[in-house]
Amino acid sequence: MDITPDNEFIKNSNVPGPTKEEVRCLVMCKSQVSKADVVVDVGCGTGGLTLEFAKRAKKVYAIDKNPEALKTTFKNLQKHGLDDGVDLIEADGTEVLDNLPPFDVLMVGGSGGKMDYLLKRGYKKLKSGGRIVVTSILLETPSEATMVMKDLGMEVDVVGVSISKGKISARGTMMVARNPITIVSAKKALKN
Amino acid sequence: MDITPDNEFIKNSNVPGPTKEEVRCLVMCKSQVSKADVVVDVGCGTGGLTLEFAKRAKKVYAIDKNPEALKTTFKNLQKHGLDDGVDLIEADGTEVLDNLPPFDVLMVGGSGGKMDYLLKRGYKKLKSGGRIVVTSILLETPSEATMVMKDLGMEVDVVGVSISKGKISARGTMMVARNPITIVSAKKALKN
Amino acid sequence: MDITPDNEFIKNSNVPGPTKEEVRCLVMCKSQVSKADVVVDVGCGTGGLTLEFAKRAKKVYAIDKNPEALKTTFKNLQKHGLDDGVDLIEADGTEVLDNLPPFDVLMVGGSGGKMDYLLKRGYKKLKSGGRIVVTSILLETPSEATMVMKDLGMEVDVVGVSISKGKISARGTMMVARNPITIVSAKKALKN
Amino acid sequence: MDITPDNEFIKNSNVPGPTKEEVRCLVMCKSQVSKADVVVDVGCGTGGLTLEFAKRAKKVYAIDKNPEALKTTFKNLQKHGLDDGVDLIEADGTEVLDNLPPFDVLMVGGSGGKMDYLLKRGYKKLKSGGRIVVTSILLETPSEATMVMKDLGMEVDVVGVSISKGKISARGTMMVARNPITIVSAKKALKN
């Protein structure tokens, strides 16, 4: 279970991310991603999660409407030799989902205020047994995502995550908080 | 229960603090401070807790070895008309406790690595029924303070506090974490 | 700042609460309650917050639609000699707000799914300078309450609170988590 | 990244565990376990982490001084077809480390109060490039483990983890806290 350390990412002050190591780890678990999977990563930002999916999936579509985000994602993938197998798409997630092949994992790191539309559209293209994972630092997004997934008949897993990291100095270990993140995930039922 | 908002404090980049509103609130509760009390505030920093104690106690001794800290504490007290009734003492807490009159509350926001000595010395000067409160952002301090208070025969209350504050924007309410704080407190038994 | 310890409350297995000590403390601070205030406590449960308000306010109206809740609230008030000055009202909060005199603090611990109506109705009866405080253990309530308060033109304070309490044993201090609570509060502007 | 759901474990009321899904996930990441690795799991409890290591490592030694713990660990491994490749050892971890072959991962879920001895002894048997991971629900253990690892010249990673899980009902999603856990980990330097 190899997770790339936070300090090995190229950052971009105009783009949010990268998602911190511990959250990337938890998202990988919740997504149940494996080598046979096609992953769609909507709102890829600087590519923190894209890179972890790229290590573990067959194919990743990384989508962001911000060209700077895609540029940084590409740099991070390239730096770690993981740009093969990732398609970078400059677009609003809601506009391109329909044109993608069916996928196994829908990762939503940013919905641009269109969570309802995005999840419902994504659900249709999601293979049976596929997973949706939504991460958010906003108060509003988790309840919205939960509601939509429930409406889709999915059994929803909601996890609030508060991580603090020790900063070691001569005085002792100062615990520095990271912003709390909520991970909402669900699996599409297998066809009978 | 009037707590001064965080943004009404004068800050000083060379001095830690002020302690955030919610933690000041909890410390006031744990200290059970009242108008009859004498409070000793060791490691007062920019005076966040000093000011809250000044509102509620009869007398406060604010101690810090950093003269900048005391200057900032004084400015904050003065700004809120609370400098009467507070004595500012530039010293290491361990050096002056013996020279103070007996007190009802010992607040330790910083021990300079001498927690054991400070708490044991402080306990002797603490009136029966008096309270000790230790706050820390370090991993090591809470277990050390707990151990010393247990050694002193006190019943110890340990509270881990993680606070996040909503930052409201057009996109939604971003939850911003504050560093976790542990509050260790105990009461000196009343004499029979 | 005297907060009643958790273990001094009478509980009732059919009624939620009492609100834990640290949350009661924070709610008292956020409510800015003082001796001149009239407080309305909607969804009072076992009376944890009611009792703290009773210590600090002029008058408290404690409302719950569950008669068991009111019975337990009364027992807790009586046990601590605080039943004077508290009116217990068996009703849905939305039904009785209009019949109450104007108030300084509206505390909402439970809205029965009618947060929008309750806050808007309550806001009308809230005196200028008055405060609304909503506490919730649900994912959905804080964003709903925040939205309504923003709609009412209020400046909203959102605080996520995660508390853990040390359970001291021979092996060490086990940190036991309490369920996270979100406190949403706001003040009604003073008239010019 | 397949993590076994919490409800698929056999429990034992006399044995702590199993470690919750999210913490198992994070420990797998921190341990950097891979198919070539030999893992020693000291204080295996009901086998939550043992089972995750068994999926990912070449060989796991699961150690506990409580025979009930080993019995439950075995049942959980067997239930998931993972008992091959796991040796169960009824012993105090400090007594058997010396008799084991060199290992890549030392997992310490319980030290029986002998953290210092256990980590120092374990460090000697740890291969260069090997990892130590300590998890704890106690206030004291993380600072002790951090200190020992620092003494051993290791660069220590300290992570405080607070997880809450959504319990979905008709009223909404109640966030239920899990006890906070601290994960302390470090890597043994590669030989030059």
Side-chain angles (χ1 to χ4, degrees), chain D residues 33-86:
Chain D
V33 62
S34 76
K35 266 299 170 195
D37 286 347
V38 174
V39 176
V40 174
D41 182 3
V42 178
C44 63
T46 50
L49 290 168
T50 315
L51 184 141
E52 300 298 341
F53 282 123
K55 292 179 200 169
R56 294 165 174 84
K58 186 171 68 184
K59 176 81 191 172
V60 181
Y61 296 92
I63 303 169
D64 210 295
K65 55 188 167 188
N66 180 355
E68 289 242 19
L70 294 172
K71 242 180 257 176
T72 310
T73 293
F74 181 69
K75 280 185 198 165
N76 275 313
L77 291 169
Q78 207 178 28
K79 182 182 173 183
H80 294 89
L82 289 160
D83 45 319
D84 273 6
V86 180

Short mmCIF file of all heavy atoms in Angstrom, two decimals, chain D residues 33-86:
data_model
loop_
_atom_site.label_atom_id
_atom_site.label_comp_id
_atom_site.label_asym_id
_atom_site.label_seq_id
_atom_site.Cartn_x
_atom_site.Cartn_y
_atom_site.Cartn_z
N VAL D 33 3.32 -1.98 3.59
CA VAL D 33 3.47 -3.43 3.45
C VAL D 33 3.34 -3.87 1.98
O VAL D 33 2.53 -3.33 1.24
CB VAL D 33 2.43 -4.16 4.33
CG1 VAL D 33 1.00 -3.84 3.92
CG2 VAL D 33 2.66 -5.66 4.34
N SER D 34 4.16 -4.84 1.60
CA SER D 34 4.05 -5.41 0.24
C SER D 34 4.32 -6.91 0.28
O SER D 34 4.71 -7.46 1.31
CB SER D 34 5.03 -4.72 -0.70
OG SER D 34 6.32 -5.20 -0.45
N LYS D 35 4.11 -7.55 -0.84
CA LYS D 35 4.13 -9.01 -0.96
C LYS D 35 5.45 -9.66 -0.55
O LYS D 35 5.51 -10.86 -0.29
CB LYS D 35 3.78 -9.41 -2.40
CG LYS D 35 2.28 -9.70 -2.57
CD LYS D 35 1.86 -10.88 -1.68
CE LYS D 35 0.37 -11.09 -1.60
NZ LYS D 35 0.02 -11.97 -0.46
N ALA D 36 6.51 -8.87 -0.50
CA ALA D 36 7.81 -9.44 -0.14
C ALA D 36 8.06 -9.40 1.37
O ALA D 36 9.08 -9.90 1.84
CB ALA D 36 8.91 -8.67 -0.86
N ASP D 37 7.12 -8.83 2.11
CA ASP D 37 7.41 -8.48 3.51
C ASP D 37 7.08 -9.56 4.53
O ASP D 37 6.08 -10.28 4.41
CB ASP D 37 6.63 -7.22 3.91
CG ASP D 37 7.22 -5.96 3.30
OD1 ASP D 37 8.34 -6.00 2.79
OD2 ASP D 37 6.53 -4.92 3.34
N VAL D 38 7.91 -9.58 5.56
CA VAL D 38 7.62 -10.34 6.78
C VAL D 38 7.15 -9.34 7.83
O VAL D 38 7.80 -8.33 8.07
CB VAL D 38 8.88 -11.08 7.29
CG1 VAL D 38 8.61 -11.75 8.62
CG2 VAL D 38 9.35 -12.08 6.25
N VAL D 39 5.99 -9.63 8.42
CA VAL D 39 5.36 -8.71 9.37
C VAL D 39 5.26 -9.37 10.74
O VAL D 39 4.87 -10.54 10.84
CB VAL D 39 3.94 -8.33 8.90
CG1 VAL D 39 3.23 -7.45 9.93
CG2 VAL D 39 3.98 -7.64 7.54
N VAL D 40 5.58 -8.62 11.78
CA VAL D 40 5.36 -9.09 13.15
C VAL D 40 4.30 -8.20 13.78
O VAL D 40 4.45 -6.98 13.82
CB VAL D 40 6.66 -9.05 13.97
CG1 VAL D 40 6.37 -9.41 15.43
CG2 VAL D 40 7.67 -10.01 13.38
N ASP D 41 3.21 -8.81 14.22
CA ASP D 41 2.06 -8.08 14.75
C ASP D 41 1.95 -8.38 16.25
O ASP D 41 1.42 -9.42 16.64
CB ASP D 41 0.81 -8.54 13.98
CG ASP D 41 -0.46 -7.81 14.41
OD1 ASP D 41 -0.38 -6.91 15.27
OD2 ASP D 41 -1.54 -8.17 13.89
N VAL D 42 2.44 -7.45 17.07
CA VAL D 42 2.48 -7.67 18.52
C VAL D 42 1.21 -7.13 19.17
O VAL D 42 0.90 -5.95 19.05
CB VAL D 42 3.71 -6.98 19.14
CG1 VAL D 42 3.72 -7.17 20.66
CG2 VAL D 42 4.99 -7.52 18.53
N GLY D 43 0.50 -7.98 19.87
CA GLY D 43 -0.77 -7.60 20.49
C GLY D 43 -1.86 -7.62 19.44
O GLY D 43 -2.52 -6.62 19.20
N CYS D 44 -2.06 -8.79 18.83
CA CYS D 44 -2.92 -8.86 17.64
C CYS D 44 -4.40 -8.76 17.97
O CYS D 44 -5.21 -8.51 17.09
CB CYS D 44 -2.62 -10.12 16.82
SG CYS D 44 -2.98 -11.66 17.70
N GLY D 45 -4.79 -8.96 19.23
CA GLY D 45 -6.19 -8.85 19.61
C GLY D 45 -7.05 -9.81 18.81
O GLY D 45 -6.74 -10.99 18.68
N THR D 46 -8.15 -9.30 18.22
CA THR D 46 -9.04 -10.18 17.46
C THR D 46 -8.58 -10.36 16.02
O THR D 46 -9.26 -11.02 15.24
CB THR D 46 -10.47 -9.61 17.44
OG1 THR D 46 -10.40 -8.23 17.07
CG2 THR D 46 -11.12 -9.70 18.80
N GLY D 47 -7.47 -9.75 15.67
CA GLY D 47 -6.87 -10.06 14.37
C GLY D 47 -7.24 -9.12 13.23
O GLY D 47 -7.00 -9.45 12.07
N GLY D 48 -7.80 -7.97 13.54
CA GLY D 48 -8.19 -7.03 12.48
C GLY D 48 -7.01 -6.65 11.60
O GLY D 48 -7.08 -6.75 10.37
N LEU D 49 -5.94 -6.22 12.21
CA LEU D 49 -4.77 -5.83 11.42
C LEU D 49 -4.05 -7.06 10.87
O LEU D 49 -3.53 -7.04 9.76
CB LEU D 49 -3.81 -4.98 12.28
CG LEU D 49 -4.34 -3.58 12.61
CD1 LEU D 49 -3.49 -2.92 13.69
CD2 LEU D 49 -4.37 -2.70 11.36
N THR D 50 -4.01 -8.14 11.67
CA THR D 50 -3.37 -9.38 11.21
C THR D 50 -3.93 -9.79 9.86
O THR D 50 -3.19 -10.15 8.93
CB THR D 50 -3.65 -10.52 12.22
OG1 THR D 50 -3.44 -10.03 13.54
CG2 THR D 50 -2.75 -11.71 11.95
N LEU D 51 -5.25 -9.73 9.75
CA LEU D 51 -5.92 -10.15 8.52
C LEU D 51 -5.55 -9.25 7.35
O LEU D 51 -5.30 -9.73 6.23
CB LEU D 51 -7.43 -10.13 8.76
CG LEU D 51 -8.35 -10.61 7.66
CD1 LEU D 51 -9.51 -11.41 8.26
CD2 LEU D 51 -8.91 -9.44 6.86
N GLU D 52 -5.47 -7.96 7.58
CA GLU D 52 -5.09 -7.05 6.48
C GLU D 52 -3.64 -7.29 6.06
O GLU D 52 -3.32 -7.27 4.87
CB GLU D 52 -5.29 -5.58 6.89
CG GLU D 52 -6.72 -5.19 7.27
CD GLU D 52 -7.73 -5.36 6.13
OE1 GLU D 52 -7.33 -5.44 4.96
OE2 GLU D 52 -8.94 -5.43 6.44
N PHE D 53 -2.78 -7.52 7.06
CA PHE D 53 -1.38 -7.83 6.71
C PHE D 53 -1.31 -9.16 5.95
O PHE D 53 -0.53 -9.30 5.01
CB PHE D 53 -0.51 -7.90 7.98
CG PHE D 53 -0.12 -6.56 8.54
CD1 PHE D 53 -0.44 -6.20 9.84
CD2 PHE D 53 0.59 -5.65 7.76
CE1 PHE D 53 -0.07 -4.96 10.36
CE2 PHE D 53 0.97 -4.40 8.27
CZ PHE D 53 0.63 -4.07 9.58
N ALA D 54 -2.12 -10.12 6.39
CA ALA D 54 -2.09 -11.44 5.75
C ALA D 54 -2.42 -11.36 4.26
O ALA D 54 -1.89 -12.12 3.45
CB ALA D 54 -3.07 -12.38 6.46
N LYS D 55 -3.29 -10.40 3.90
CA LYS D 55 -3.64 -10.23 2.48
C LYS D 55 -2.48 -9.68 1.66
O LYS D 55 -2.43 -9.85 0.45
CB LYS D 55 -4.77 -9.18 2.34
CG LYS D 55 -6.10 -9.58 2.87
CD LYS D 55 -7.07 -8.39 2.65
CE LYS D 55 -8.27 -8.48 3.55
NZ LYS D 55 -9.07 -7.22 3.53
N ARG D 56 -1.60 -8.94 2.32
CA ARG D 56 -0.64 -8.11 1.59
C ARG D 56 0.83 -8.52 1.77
O ARG D 56 1.68 -8.04 1.02
CB ARG D 56 -0.78 -6.64 2.06
CG ARG D 56 -2.11 -6.03 1.68
CD ARG D 56 -2.38 -4.75 2.44
NE ARG D 56 -3.59 -4.11 1.96
CZ ARG D 56 -4.82 -4.42 2.38
NH1 ARG D 56 -4.99 -5.36 3.30
NH2 ARG D 56 -5.88 -3.79 1.88
N ALA D 57 1.12 -9.35 2.80
CA ALA D 57 2.52 -9.68 3.10
C ALA D 57 2.82 -11.12 2.69
O ALA D 57 1.94 -11.89 2.32
CB ALA D 57 2.78 -9.47 4.58
N LYS D 58 4.10 -11.47 2.80
CA LYS D 58 4.53 -12.85 2.52
C LYS D 58 4.26 -13.71 3.73
O LYS D 58 3.80 -14.84 3.62
CB LYS D 58 6.03 -12.83 2.21
CG LYS D 58 6.60 -14.16 1.75
CD LYS D 58 8.03 -14.02 1.26
CE LYS D 58 8.99 -13.67 2.40
NZ LYS D 58 10.36 -13.43 1.95
N LYS D 59 4.51 -13.14 4.90
CA LYS D 59 4.46 -13.93 6.13
C LYS D 59 4.10 -13.01 7.29
O LYS D 59 4.62 -11.89 7.38
CB LYS D 59 5.86 -14.53 6.37
CG LYS D 59 6.01 -15.30 7.64
CD LYS D 59 5.47 -16.70 7.47
CE LYS D 59 5.36 -17.45 8.77
NZ LYS D 59 4.65 -18.71 8.56
N VAL D 60 3.21 -13.45 8.16
CA VAL D 60 2.84 -12.65 9.34
C VAL D 60 3.02 -13.49 10.61
O VAL D 60 2.56 -14.64 10.65
CB VAL D 60 1.37 -12.17 9.26
CG1 VAL D 60 1.02 -11.31 10.48
CG2 VAL D 60 1.11 -11.39 7.98
N TYR D 61 3.67 -12.93 11.59
CA TYR D 61 3.71 -13.53 12.93
C TYR D 61 2.78 -12.71 13.82
O TYR D 61 3.03 -11.53 14.05
CB TYR D 61 5.13 -13.51 13.50
CG TYR D 61 6.09 -14.36 12.70
CD1 TYR D 61 6.85 -13.81 11.67
CD2 TYR D 61 6.22 -15.73 12.96
CE1 TYR D 61 7.72 -14.59 10.92
CE2 TYR D 61 7.09 -16.52 12.21
CZ TYR D 61 7.83 -15.95 11.19
OH TYR D 61 8.68 -16.72 10.44
N ALA D 62 1.70 -13.34 14.27
CA ALA D 62 0.74 -12.65 15.13
C ALA D 62 0.96 -13.11 16.57
O ALA D 62 0.87 -14.31 16.86
CB ALA D 62 -0.68 -12.94 14.68
N ILE D 63 1.23 -12.14 17.44
CA ILE D 63 1.62 -12.47 18.82
C ILE D 63 0.63 -11.86 19.80
O ILE D 63 0.25 -10.69 19.67
CB ILE D 63 3.04 -11.91 19.10
CG1 ILE D 63 4.03 -12.48 18.08
CG2 ILE D 63 3.48 -12.21 20.52
CD1 ILE D 63 5.39 -11.80 18.09
N ASP D 64 0.22 -12.64 20.76
CA ASP D 64 -0.61 -12.11 21.85
C ASP D 64 -0.42 -13.03 23.05
O ASP D 64 -0.25 -14.24 22.89
CB ASP D 64 -2.09 -12.04 21.43
CG ASP D 64 -2.83 -10.91 22.13
OD1 ASP D 64 -2.94 -11.00 23.39
OD2 ASP D 64 -3.28 -9.96 21.47
N LYS D 65 -0.45 -12.43 24.24
CA LYS D 65 -0.29 -13.30 25.41
C LYS D 65 -1.62 -13.92 25.84
O LYS D 65 -1.65 -14.83 26.65
CB LYS D 65 0.38 -12.56 26.55
CG LYS D 65 -0.26 -11.29 26.98
CD LYS D 65 0.61 -10.55 28.00
CE LYS D 65 0.07 -9.14 28.16
NZ LYS D 65 0.94 -8.28 28.97
N ASN D 66 -2.70 -13.42 25.27
CA ASN D 66 -4.03 -13.91 25.60
C ASN D 66 -4.45 -15.00 24.60
O ASN D 66 -4.66 -14.72 23.42
CB ASN D 66 -5.01 -12.73 25.55
CG ASN D 66 -6.44 -13.14 25.89
OD1 ASN D 66 -6.73 -14.32 26.08
ND2 ASN D 66 -7.31 -12.15 25.97
N PRO D 67 -4.60 -16.24 25.07
CA PRO D 67 -4.95 -17.33 24.14
C PRO D 67 -6.30 -17.10 23.44
O PRO D 67 -6.48 -17.50 22.29
CB PRO D 67 -5.00 -18.57 25.04
CG PRO D 67 -5.00 -18.08 26.45
CD PRO D 67 -4.40 -16.72 26.45
N GLU D 68 -7.21 -16.41 24.12
CA GLU D 68 -8.52 -16.07 23.51
C GLU D 68 -8.32 -15.18 22.29
O GLU D 68 -9.04 -15.28 21.30
CB GLU D 68 -9.38 -15.32 24.53
CG GLU D 68 -9.89 -16.15 25.65
CD GLU D 68 -11.42 -16.18 25.64
OE1 GLU D 68 -12.03 -15.87 24.59
OE2 GLU D 68 -11.97 -16.52 26.69
N ALA D 69 -7.38 -14.25 22.40
CA ALA D 69 -7.10 -13.35 21.28
C ALA D 69 -6.64 -14.16 20.07
O ALA D 69 -7.14 -13.97 18.95
CB ALA D 69 -6.03 -12.33 21.68
N LEU D 70 -5.73 -15.09 20.31
CA LEU D 70 -5.20 -15.89 19.20
C LEU D 70 -6.29 -16.76 18.58
O LEU D 70 -6.35 -16.92 17.36
CB LEU D 70 -4.03 -16.74 19.68
CG LEU D 70 -2.81 -15.91 20.11
CD1 LEU D 70 -1.77 -16.81 20.74
CD2 LEU D 70 -2.21 -15.17 18.91
N LYS D 71 -7.16 -17.30 19.44
CA LYS D 71 -8.26 -18.12 18.94
C LYS D 71 -9.15 -17.30 18.01
O LYS D 71 -9.54 -17.75 16.93
CB LYS D 71 -9.09 -18.64 20.12
CG LYS D 71 -9.09 -20.17 20.24
CD LYS D 71 -9.93 -20.61 21.44
CE LYS D 71 -9.03 -21.02 22.60
NZ LYS D 71 -9.79 -21.37 23.82
N THR D 72 -9.48 -16.08 18.45
CA THR D 72 -10.36 -15.23 17.63
C THR D 72 -9.64 -14.78 16.36
O THR D 72 -10.24 -14.74 15.28
CB THR D 72 -10.82 -14.01 18.45
OG1 THR D 72 -11.32 -14.46 19.71
CG2 THR D 72 -11.93 -13.26 17.73
N THR D 73 -8.38 -14.46 16.49
CA THR D 73 -7.60 -14.09 15.29
C THR D 73 -7.63 -15.25 14.29
O THR D 73 -7.86 -15.04 13.09
CB THR D 73 -6.15 -13.75 15.68
OG1 THR D 73 -6.16 -12.55 16.46
CG2 THR D 73 -5.28 -13.51 14.45
N PHE D 74 -7.41 -16.45 14.79
CA PHE D 74 -7.42 -17.61 13.89
C PHE D 74 -8.78 -17.77 13.19
O PHE D 74 -8.85 -18.00 11.99
CB PHE D 74 -7.07 -18.89 14.66
CG PHE D 74 -7.06 -20.10 13.76
CD1 PHE D 74 -6.06 -20.25 12.79
CD2 PHE D 74 -8.05 -21.08 13.85
CE1 PHE D 74 -6.05 -21.36 11.94
CE2 PHE D 74 -8.04 -22.18 13.00
CZ PHE D 74 -7.05 -22.32 12.05
N LYS D 75 -9.85 -17.62 13.98
CA LYS D 75 -11.20 -17.74 13.39
C LYS D 75 -11.40 -16.71 12.28
O LYS D 75 -11.99 -17.00 11.24
CB LYS D 75 -12.27 -17.53 14.47
CG LYS D 75 -12.52 -18.76 15.33
CD LYS D 75 -13.69 -18.48 16.28
CE LYS D 75 -13.71 -19.46 17.44
NZ LYS D 75 -14.59 -19.01 18.53
N ASN D 76 -10.94 -15.49 12.53
CA ASN D 76 -11.12 -14.44 11.52
C ASN D 76 -10.29 -14.72 10.27
O ASN D 76 -10.76 -14.52 9.15
CB ASN D 76 -10.77 -13.07 12.12
CG ASN D 76 -11.96 -12.47 12.85
OD1 ASN D 76 -13.08 -12.46 12.32
ND2 ASN D 76 -11.75 -11.97 14.06
N LEU D 77 -9.08 -15.21 10.47
CA LEU D 77 -8.23 -15.54 9.31
C LEU D 77 -8.88 -16.67 8.51
O LEU D 77 -8.97 -16.61 7.27
CB LEU D 77 -6.84 -15.96 9.78
CG LEU D 77 -6.00 -14.83 10.40
CD1 LEU D 77 -4.77 -15.41 11.09
CD2 LEU D 77 -5.59 -13.82 9.34
N GLN D 78 -9.32 -17.69 9.23
CA GLN D 78 -9.93 -18.85 8.59
C GLN D 78 -11.19 -18.46 7.81
O GLN D 78 -11.39 -18.88 6.66
CB GLN D 78 -10.29 -19.85 9.68
CG GLN D 78 -10.31 -21.29 9.20
CD GLN D 78 -10.62 -22.23 10.36
OE1 GLN D 78 -11.30 -21.86 11.32
NE2 GLN D 78 -10.12 -23.45 10.26
N LYS D 79 -12.03 -17.62 8.44
CA LYS D 79 -13.27 -17.18 7.80
C LYS D 79 -13.01 -16.54 6.45
O LYS D 79 -13.82 -16.63 5.53
CB LYS D 79 -13.98 -16.17 8.73
CG LYS D 79 -15.30 -15.67 8.19
CD LYS D 79 -15.97 -14.63 9.08
CE LYS D 79 -17.21 -14.08 8.36
NZ LYS D 79 -17.86 -13.01 9.12
N HIS D 80 -11.89 -15.85 6.34
CA HIS D 80 -11.58 -15.14 5.10
C HIS D 80 -10.51 -15.86 4.28
O HIS D 80 -9.94 -15.30 3.35
CB HIS D 80 -11.12 -13.71 5.42
CG HIS D 80 -12.21 -12.88 6.02
ND1 HIS D 80 -12.44 -12.82 7.37
CD2 HIS D 80 -13.18 -12.10 5.44
CE1 HIS D 80 -13.48 -12.03 7.62
NE2 HIS D 80 -13.95 -11.59 6.47
N GLY D 81 -10.24 -17.12 4.63
CA GLY D 81 -9.29 -17.92 3.86
C GLY D 81 -7.88 -17.38 3.89
O GLY D 81 -7.14 -17.47 2.91
N LEU D 82 -7.49 -16.80 5.03
CA LEU D 82 -6.18 -16.17 5.10
C LEU D 82 -5.29 -16.75 6.19
O LEU D 82 -4.33 -16.12 6.64
CB LEU D 82 -6.36 -14.65 5.33
CG LEU D 82 -6.89 -13.87 4.13
CD1 LEU D 82 -7.49 -12.54 4.57
CD2 LEU D 82 -5.77 -13.62 3.12
N ASP D 83 -5.59 -17.97 6.65
CA ASP D 83 -4.80 -18.53 7.75
C ASP D 83 -3.45 -19.07 7.29
O ASP D 83 -2.53 -19.19 8.09
CB ASP D 83 -5.59 -19.59 8.54
CG ASP D 83 -6.32 -20.56 7.64
OD1 ASP D 83 -6.88 -20.12 6.62
OD2 ASP D 83 -6.32 -21.76 7.94
N ASP D 84 -3.33 -19.39 6.03
CA ASP D 84 -2.02 -19.76 5.52
C ASP D 84 -1.10 -18.55 5.61
O ASP D 84 -1.51 -17.43 5.36
CB ASP D 84 -2.12 -20.14 4.03
CG ASP D 84 -2.47 -21.60 3.87
OD1 ASP D 84 -2.73 -22.27 4.90
OD2 ASP D 84 -2.51 -22.06 2.72
N GLY D 85 0.10 -18.77 5.95
CA GLY D 85 1.05 -17.66 5.95
C GLY D 85 1.02 -16.83 7.21
O GLY D 85 1.70 -15.82 7.32
N VAL D 86 0.18 -17.23 8.18
CA VAL D 86 0.18 -16.53 9.47
C VAL D 86 0.57 -17.52 10.57
O VAL D 86 -0.06 -18.57 10.71
CB VAL D 86 -1.19 -15.91 9.79
CG1 VAL D 86 -1.14 -15.18 11.14
CG2 VAL D 86 -1.63 -14.95 8.69
#
